């Protein structure tokens, strides 16, 4: 019985120590920004990589819903976002371009 309590105490102490170490590492984390600063100033041809979908894509490539829902007052209608349904809804938006994300 005594050894069981000792094992539980050792495990608890290890978990607390791991928590303290990980908390300290999280608070003191700073990313290495050396490459970020140097890339922009070295070349004029440098194009940053965008996060997410690129802005030169068409509307059908940018909007990818899971479900299409139409709500008017208390009436709510929904349909599955199949390729045919999305094409029908996006037809008026096909010739537009996304300028800002």
């Amino acid at each position: 019985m005594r050894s069981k309590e000792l094992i539980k105490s050792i495990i608890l102490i290890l978990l607390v120590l791991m928590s303290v170490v990980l908390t300290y590492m999280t608070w003191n984390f700073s990313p290495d920004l050396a490459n970020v600063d140097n890339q922009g100033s070295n070349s004029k041809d440098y194009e940053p990589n965008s996060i997410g979908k690129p802005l030169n894509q068409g509307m059908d490539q940018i909007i990818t819903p899971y479900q299409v829902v139409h709500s008017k007052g208390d009436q709510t209608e929904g349909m599955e976002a199949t390729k045919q349904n999305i094409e029908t809804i996006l037809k008026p938006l096909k010739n537009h371009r996304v300028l800002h994300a």
Side-chain angles (χ1 to χ4, degrees):
M1 194 68 137
R2 182 113 170 114
S3 65
K4 194 182 224 183
E5 293 297 322
L6 180 64
I7 292 172
K8 288 188 334 189
S9 296
I10 291 172
I11 291 174
L12 179 63
I13 289 170
L14 287 174
L15 289 173
V16 170
L17 288 175
M18 286 173 42
S19 173
V20 168
V21 168
L22 291 173
T23 302
Y24 176 77
M25 290 172 66
T26 302
W27 282 347
N28 290 326
F29 174 74
S30 62
D32 183 19
L33 300 176
N35 292 339
V36 175
D37 293 338
N38 293 338
Q39 282 180 349
S41 62
N42 284 347
S43 67
K44 294 180 182 179
D45 301 331
Y46 175 71
E47 260 187 58
N49 295 333
S50 63
I51 297 175
K53 297 187 178 192
L55 294 176
N56 61 356
Q57 295 290 322
M59 227 12 130
D60 57 339
Q61 298 295 320
I62 294 175
I63 298 177
T64 54
Y66 175 72
Q67 183 181 18
V68 180
V69 178
H70 178 264
S71 180
K72 186 174 183 180
D74 291 339
Q75 261 187 329
T76 303
E77 298 175 0
M79 67 177 144
E80 190 178 341
T82 61
K83 186 171 182 162
Q84 182 182 5
N85 291 342
I86 293 173
E87 285 176 0
T88 305
I89 292 171
L90 293 180
K91 197 173 193 178
L93 303 173
K94 206 105 169 147
N95 296 327
H96 290 79
R97 233 181 113 206
V98 176
L99 298 176
H100 298 286

